[in-house]
Amino acid sequence: RLSTDKWKRLSWIFGPDALHHFLGRNLVEVCLFLGFGSSWIEQKVSQEVMFKLCIFPETGVEMCEQATWNGIFTLLEHTYPETWPYIRTYKDIIINTPFQEIEELAGYSMKAVNMIGRDPNTGDSTDPRYMTLKKLLYFFENSSLVRENSCENISSAEEKHAMIVFRQFLFDELGVKELFTGNGMTLSDDPEKHPSCREYLTRTIPLREIPGCVLIQPDMSSLLDSRNLHSNNTTRSAKGPNLDS
């Protein structure tokens, strides 16, 4: 599968413009270029995750959207149809409200909650704020917040709480993280050293179902020797890509 997490319906992939940037870089540098956060890399290394690079033709996957906000919501509508009646009304407010403002309203670090993670088999998390699909549905099914039309602003405490819950869901379920801007490109703190490349989301499918798929095992040594990446990290994660297939 494009992701080893059984609960993931969508996986992050990258455009052909990313490949030539891999030349001359070790695996740590490739991960940082693609937008992996140092704390995320350390966590995966501690879990003994095996990183692999999957290369395939653009035509090898269906239902693939560039990671713009419109692309995100198109995929939500088609791959999470059970959530659509609840979340569609929050599209405009999520797009137009800076992440930092939502997090300040929440009163806690969404990234810290996300890093707690969940069981890869059950999809459950030990933190009640971590927003899985099951918890998102439970929240909305037990609230009165179902609108017919999209809202451009919210006022009630319940509506604000719903916005926080939905944004945490995007963070935890899709990997739409704190630096995501919706322009469809990766994001780096040092654009000259780590230029942007196109990023996409697609359905998580078995690799055997992708025509022309080639799986490459990169040299893991640079990751194993870089457990303190936070001390010299130059790229922060704007998303949650998947190389642990």
Side-chain angles (χ1 to χ4, degrees), residues 69-117:
W69 275 120
N70 284 335
I72 293 290
F73 279 92
T74 295
L75 288 168
L76 282 170
E77 182 178 6
H78 288 90
T79 60
Y80 291 87
E82 65 270 54
T83 71
W84 191 244
Y86 306 115
I87 65 177
R88 62 183 179 182
T89 60
Y90 289 89
K91 177 180 178 179
D92 290 340
I93 194 69
I94 287 291
I95 292 175
N96 295 319
T97 306
F99 175 83
Q100 292 75 12
E101 187 175 323
I102 298 175
E103 189 173 58
E104 184 176 345
L105 189 63
Y108 65 87
S109 168
M110 289 185 165
K111 180 179 179 180
V113 169
N114 175 260
M115 287 300 296
I116 292 171

Side-chain angles (χ1 to χ4, degrees), residues 29-187:
E29 293 167 336
V30 168
C31 288
L32 293 176
F33 163 72
L34 291 176
F36 288 74
S38 60
S39 55
W40 186 92
I41 296 173
E42 287 184 317
Q43 183 185 65
K44 294 301 181 182
V45 171
S46 70
Q47 295 170 350
E48 299 184 345
V49 168
M50 182 66 68
F51 286 67
K52 295 182 181 181
L53 177 64
C54 180
I55 301 177
F56 48 85
E58 181 181 355
T59 56
V61 292
E62 298 179 354
M63 199 60 211
C64 180
E65 295 283 343
Q66 190 166 4
T68 63
W69 275 120
N70 284 335
I72 293 290
F73 279 92
T74 295
L75 288 168
L76 282 170
E77 182 178 6
H78 288 90
T79 60
Y80 291 87
E82 65 270 54
T83 71
W84 191 244
Y86 306 115
I87 65 177
R88 62 183 179 182
T89 60
Y90 289 89
K91 177 180 178 179
D92 290 340
I93 194 69
I94 287 291
I95 292 175
N96 295 319
T97 306
F99 175 83
Q100 292 75 12
E101 187 175 323
I102 298 175
E103 189 173 58
E104 184 176 345
L105 189 63
Y108 65 87
S109 168
M110 289 185 165
K111 180 179 179 180
V113 169
N114 175 260
M115 287 300 296
I116 292 171
R118 59 171 109 181
D119 185 289
N121 294 311
T122 67
D124 294 328
S125 176
T126 58
D127 193 303
R129 297 168 299 183
Y130 191 107
M131 197 50 52
T132 64
L133 172 60
K134 180 170 66 175
K135 288 162 79 172
L136 179 81
L137 290 174
Y138 180 84
F139 172 82
F140 279 108
E141 287 169 357
N142 290 274
S143 77
S144 59
L145 295 175
V146 179
R147 296 171 176 263
E148 293 297 326
N149 300 309
S150 180
C151 56
E152 296 182 358
N153 56 73
I154 56 177
S155 56
S156 72
E158 189 176 13
E159 287 176 320
K160 291 177 181 178
H161 186 204
M163 178 180 67
I164 293 166
V165 166
F166 179 35
R167 187 61 184 87
Q168 187 73 57
F169 171 78
L170 292 176
F171 205 125
D172 300 333
E173 184 76 15
L174 271 68
V176 179
K177 299 194 175 182
E178 71 273 14
L179 294 186
F180 181 81
T181 64
N183 70 351
M185 306 292 289
T186 57
L187 182 63

Side-chain angles (χ1 to χ4, degrees), residues 5-24:
D5 293 323
K6 295 180 179 180
W7 50 268
K8 278 190 175 179
R9 296 186 186 181
L10 295 170
S11 295
W12 291 86
I13 59 177
F14 303 89
D17 53 328
L19 289 177
H20 74 274
H21 291 293
F22 294 178
L23 299 176

